[in-house]
Amino acid sequence: MATDAARRRLKALDVMERLKRLDTEREARSTAQLRDRMNRLDSEKQALLHRLSGESRIDGLEGAPYLGRFIRSIRAEVDRISHEASKLAPEVAAAEDRLRAALAEQKTYETLRLKRLTEERDAQKKREAKDLDELSLLRWKR
């Protein structure tokens, strides 16, 4: 039978592993939200550039005065999106770093718990083998 201290140690490692899993899930959600925001910005930018390339031709002279403003407006919006994405990029990188650290810490607790569990099982097998050896010696001596 496992000792009381070993059971408490295993339970504590299990609790820590679950807490770290919750932290990891929180970091993963945060990172996913930032990545999603970056993807939306990129999609908006690509849509604007596609619109610019498709709608920057005029058929008649009546559209000429508006074409310059249209192009400037689209370019300004593309620049704004690029600026926002460049400000967001370090946040995404930092969130990914935090996620990697949380995963590593969670894995550490999992590895420790599994190692302790294996050690306890091995110790239990040794105790059982010792008990069987004692029983065999007692029977042999009779």
Side-chain angles (χ1 to χ4, degrees), residues 123-134:
Q124 179 67 27
K125 286 179 185 178
K126 285 181 183 179
R127 286 191 295 269
E128 288 174 0
K130 181 182 173 190
D131 290 346
L132 287 175
D133 288 346
E134 287 178 11

Side-chain angles (χ1 to χ4, degrees), residues 6 9 11 13 19 24 27 35 37 40 43 45-46 64 68 93 97 110 117 121 129-130 133:
R9 201 174 6 234
K11 188 172 181 171
L13 285 171
L19 286 173
T24 302
E27 288 295 337
R35 285 180 186 158
R37 189 168 166 207
R40 274 187 273 127
S43 295
K45 182 178 172 181
Q46 293 305 318
D97 289 343
E110 178 186 359
L117 190 59
R121 285 182 183 153
K130 181 182 173 190
D133 288 346

Side-chain angles (χ1 to χ4, degrees), residues 3-4 7 13 22 41 66-67 69 76 79 95 109 125:
T3 64
D4 196 37
R7 277 194 297 268
L13 285 171
L22 292 174
L41 288 173
Y66 303 105
L67 182 62
R69 281 185 285 190
D79 289 343
Y109 282 110
K125 286 179 185 178

Side-chain angles (χ1 to χ4, degrees), residues 21-124:
R21 186 178 312 117
L22 292 174
D23 284 347
T24 302
E25 289 170 359
R26 182 179 43 79
E27 288 295 337
R29 280 191 301 274
S30 172
T31 302
Q33 288 172 345
L34 287 171
R35 285 180 186 158
D36 187 45
R37 189 168 166 207
M38 282 290 284
N39 289 339
R40 274 187 273 127
L41 288 173
D42 189 47
S43 295
E44 288 176 23
K45 182 178 172 181
Q46 293 305 318
L48 286 171
L49 290 174
H50 180 70
R51 185 173 174 204
L52 182 64
S53 67
E55 297 178 21
S56 62
R57 292 173 189 79
I58 56 170
D59 292 330
L61 292 176
E62 63 275 353
Y66 303 105
L67 182 62
R69 281 185 285 190
F70 172 74
I71 291 173
R72 281 191 300 278
S73 173
I74 295 288
R75 285 286 175 202
E77 187 65 16
V78 167
D79 289 343
R80 184 196 64 76
I81 290 172
S82 295
H83 180 69
E84 190 175 336
S86 68
K87 285 185 355 185
L88 192 61
E91 291 180 42
V92 171
E96 288 173 346
D97 289 343
R98 287 191 308 271
L99 178 59
R100 273 190 288 278
L103 283 168
E105 199 169 350
Q106 176 187 343
K107 189 65 176 176
T108 300
Y109 282 110
E110 178 186 359
T111 303
L112 280 172
R113 182 184 57 81
L114 292 175
K115 181 180 175 188
R116 296 282 185 234
L117 190 59
T118 302
E119 289 172 354
E120 187 56 38
R121 285 182 183 153
D122 291 344
Q124 179 67 27

